[in-house]
Amino acid sequence: MLDLTYKSPNPKVIAGAKHDWELVIGLEVHAQIASKAKLFSGASTKFGAEPNSNVSFIDAAMPGMLPVINEFCVEQAVRTGLGLKAEINLTSAFDRKNYFYPDLPQGYQISQLYHPIVGEGEVLVEMGDGTARLVRIERIHMEQDAGKSIHDMDPNMSFVDLNRTGVALMEIVSRPDVRGPEEAAAYVAKLRQILRYLGTCDGNMQNGNLRADVNVSICRPGAYERYMETQDFSHLGTRCEIKNMNSLRFIQAAIMVEAARQIKIVEGGGTVDQETRLYDPDKNETRSMRSKEEAHDYRYFPDPDLLPLEIEQAWVDDIAASLPELPDAKKARFISAYNLSDYDASVLTADVTSAAYFEEAATGRDGKLTANWVINELFGRLKKEEHDITQSPVSPTQLGGIIDLISTDAISGKIAKDLFEIVYTTGGDPAQIVEARGMKQVTDTGAIETAVDQIIADNPAQVEKAKANPKLAGWFVGQVMKATGGKANPKAVNQIVSQKLGL
Ligand code: ADP
Ligand code: MG
């Protein structure tokens, strides 16, 4: 078996094969536009509805029905393009892509082959190890989704559910700039993050509202650089397209096995056939689905039912003005405004809700301390219950209250964790809880001194040991903390213990 341990981005070479190989990957991501109605009909897009309950005459392709463009969907496509720093085409057009499938009653899909609404853009993909890659976006076009054929409900019959027929998709096509499995997963994850920030797609891969076709080829070192210099695809290997991937984990696994398959073919003296393949997660292999079809196989032509789509620059400008702060900008701002590490800023900006929670809690407080509490305590606790931030029983105000009590030395770090647990499980105002339960830190040195004297008097043998080895003073600190129920100020305890032991 080939060892495909891939170090991204350098060295980009696959070890184990006879020769060194590199991977080249381009993705076509299908993102369902977050819209209540379909692209060309008013039917609902609600997920999980009774089969065939969200089907208009247009979706069912009844004779004489005419599609009417959904302006809201167009706006979301434009918003997405702007979010990916892409050029927006003020004129685009819809084409018919003809093919027969039982879940496509029209006999063609309405798509945008020749004049997509969005042109070239880019996505910054950070790899978590300090490296990053800029993946170029080639285009985004709008198209209709197909329905679903159901083959496993009856031994003799197949069924069709047209609820999804006609739902609006954005197909986001990347250039072949992704160089390994981890990068492919990171790219899809970043795209999903941006779409969710923009609110243009829910990005729920399990429900299939974000899925990717993954194009994979292999080449010898140097070939990709020659492609980049010339943009001439003949420098690259023949690609295979792995269809309909809806899990980041499977995307990575599929790329690995597909690359290994291609290397084996080429090193065995064969050639890779350009084809469409399916990944089987149970067998961890890709299987041929059909040889790659060309655009002319679909007899694309401009849809005569739809006029070219003309939009105005002023409308695009309005949408641009309404864009939210996007992940890269938010992360950079968190790093500089709150003095956060790259890692903390990434975690906190992973989704808008977490970012907003953090900002509310951090306002007027120590950013780094707040980040620690949000990431380690709150996120850790939520994860235990498989909850997300929207289900947090602790509000930013309550967490801020706990942080204030720490910052003013009213409670110790240890007590703060107990307090957090109380607030998490029973709610309440942190300051009031501390007051009511007598959790305030003992900073009164007299009280601490008394406790230290008592423990020294009770443990003469330990005192001798600690005098010989000052590291053992920690034992006394522990005993004092125990005696005071964890409420003694640890700094004061340390000082007094050292002083009393003569260290
Ligand atoms: P088609 O329309 O036949 O699917 P496209 O030109 O639209 O072909 O390309 C589809 C995807 O394949 C794009 O994401 C592109 O970047 C990618 N791609 C093209 N050539 C290669 C290659 N040699 N290796 C990997 N991916 C490739
Ligand atoms: Mg394509």
Side-chain angles (χ1 to χ4, degrees):
M1 189 58 205
L2 296 165
D3 172 16
L4 282 181
T5 321
Y6 180 88
K7 299 214 174 38
S8 175
N10 264 320
K12 291 169 293 190
V13 176
I14 297 160
K18 264 188 266 169
H19 304 286
D20 289 341
W21 294 98
E22 294 182 2
L23 298 191
V24 176
I25 300 158
L27 294 99
E28 297 160 272
V29 169
H30 298 266
Q32 184 183 320
I33 296 178
S35 159
K36 290 198 173 84
K38 296 182 181 183
L39 183 54
F40 297 112
S41 85
S44 165
T45 60
K46 204 166 168 57
F47 182 79
E50 187 70 15
N52 296 311
S53 59
N54 294 337
V55 187
S56 74
F57 287 139
I58 294 173
D59 310 320
M62 290 295 155
M65 290 298 114
L66 287 174
V68 178
I69 186 83
N70 178 340
E71 179 181 331
F72 181 79
C73 291
V74 178
E75 181 181 338
Q76 304 318 302
V78 170
R79 184 181 299 280
T80 302
L82 293 168
L84 301 183
K85 300 184 186 136
E87 91 198 65
I88 306 299
N89 295 321
L90 297 181
T91 302
S92 64
F94 288 99
D95 304 297
R96 288 186 180 181
K97 179 182 184 179
N98 297 280
Y99 65 95
F100 172 79
Y101 223 72
D103 57 20
L104 183 78
Q106 280 171 170
Y108 56 86
Q109 178 193 34
I110 305 179
S111 182
Q112 298 190 301
L113 177 70
Y114 302 107
H115 303 287
I117 183 146
V118 178
E120 294 187 347
E122 62 185 39
V123 176
L124 180 73
V125 182
E126 286 169 288
M127 297 304 299
D129 63 352
T131 64
R133 181 177 295 287
L134 203 57
V135 174
R136 294 169 298 162
I137 299 295
E138 183 185 320
R139 56 191 273 146
I140 304 176
H141 58 260
M142 290 181 286
E143 62 185 26
Q144 299 174 299
D145 207 345
K148 265 187 196 155
S149 295
I150 301 154
H151 305 295
D152 56 3
M153 262 174 72
D154 186 283
N156 302 313
M157 278 189 285
S158 283
F159 296 90
V160 70
D161 176 4
L162 299 182
N163 281 349
R164 212 177 60 187
T165 307
V167 165
L169 300 177
M170 297 177 278
E171 180 170 331
I172 305 168
V173 183
S174 85
R175 299 270 181 206
D177 289 349
V178 174
R179 307 301 313 280
E182 303 88 354
E183 278 181 21
Y187 166 75
V188 175
K190 182 63 179 284
L191 206 50
R192 179 177 60 183
Q193 184 193 24
I194 295 171
L195 296 175
R196 284 179 171 166
Y197 264 66
L198 291 165
T200 57
C201 169
D202 296 338
N204 187 333
M205 296 185 81
Q206 266 133 18
N207 294 356
N209 72 31
L210 190 82
R211 30 190 217 270
D213 300 341
V214 185
N215 296 269
V216 179
S217 68
I218 54 162
C219 65
R220 299 297 304 277
Y224 184 76
E225 285 69 20
R226 284 195 291 283
Y227 154 71
M228 281 303 269
E229 274 162 31
T230 58
Q231 295 301 307
D232 176 353
F233 281 89
S234 69
H235 291 298
L236 300 179
T238 302
R239 74 182 188 272
C240 286
E241 177 176 355
I242 313 165
K243 270 280 178 210
N244 252 330
M245 305 289 303
N246 66 353
S247 130
L248 296 182
R249 199 158 55 85
F250 291 162
I251 286 175
Q252 297 184 67
I255 291 170
M256 297 288 262
V257 289
E258 177 56 20
R261 187 188 72 86
Q262 293 182 12
I263 290 169
K264 209 167 157 197
I265 292 172
V266 175
E267 292 201 340
T271 51
V272 174
D273 290 329
Q274 187 174 336
E275 58 185 2
T276 303
R277 301 180 68 86
L278 275 185
Y279 175 66
D280 177 344
D282 294 327
K283 296 193 175 148
N284 192 34
E285 63 180 29
T286 63
R287 277 198 298 275
S288 180
M289 194 177 151
R290 54 175 186 250
S291 65
K292 179 69 190 178
E293 65 289 347
E294 301 290 340
H296 60 249
D297 296 329
Y298 290 111
R299 205 171 68 90
Y300 273 98
F301 64 88
D303 192 313
D305 285 344
L306 290 155
L307 289 167
L309 181 61
E310 306 270 0
I311 58 177
E312 282 168 12
Q313 186 61 46
W315 188 56
V316 175
D317 294 342
D318 282 348
I319 299 170
S322 76
L323 285 196
E325 183 180 36
L326 290 172
D328 292 338
K330 201 182 274 295
K331 183 180 159 189
R333 184 170 63 78
F334 276 22
I335 292 173
S336 68
Y338 298 103
N339 208 8
L340 301 187
S341 66
D342 195 273
Y343 174 82
D344 285 356
S346 293
V347 174
L348 292 169
T349 56
D351 61 89
V352 232
T353 321
S354 298
Y357 186 105
F358 166 76
E359 285 217 88
E360 200 178 329
T363 303
R365 303 196 171 90
D366 180 330
K368 181 70 197 150
L369 182 63
T370 308
N372 287 343
W373 273 84
V374 172
I375 294 171
N376 300 327
E377 303 307 321
L378 180 63
F379 287 178
R381 190 67 178 76
L382 288 168
K383 202 170 173 187
K384 244 191 225 163
E385 319 228 340
E386 293 183 15
H387 284 166
D388 65 38
I389 187 73
T390 62
Q391 298 161 299
S392 173
V394 179
S395 70
T397 312
Q398 286 171 308
L399 189 71
I402 298 175
I403 293 166
D404 288 342
L405 292 163
I406 304 169
S407 304
T408 54
D409 269 342
I411 57 172
S412 66
K414 187 188 164 305
I415 292 288
K417 291 190 183 183
D418 298 342
L419 175 61
F420 175 80
E421 186 59 28
I422 295 167
V423 175
Y424 193 97
T425 48
T426 63
D429 172 53
Q432 274 170 14
I433 294 170
V434 164
E435 206 56 60
R437 300 201 183 199
M439 295 166 85
K440 268 223 165 100
Q441 182 158 249
V442 180
T443 35
D444 166 13
T445 47
I448 297 172
E449 273 183 52
T450 314
V452 175
D453 287 340
Q454 188 63 50
I455 286 156
I456 287 179
D458 291 348
N459 298 283
Q462 285 291 334
V463 173
E464 288 317 306
K465 279 191 209 162
K467 282 189 168 159
N469 180 4
K471 277 190 196 146
L472 297 177
W475 183 84
F476 287 90
V477 176
Q479 293 300 306
V480 176
M481 294 307 285
K482 213 189 259 174
T484 57
K487 287 184 291 182
N489 179 328
K491 239 186 278 167
V493 176
N494 262 305
Q495 249 166 25
I496 295 168
V497 165
S498 302
Q499 181 199 330
K500 298 253 173 194
L501 290 174
L503 299 177

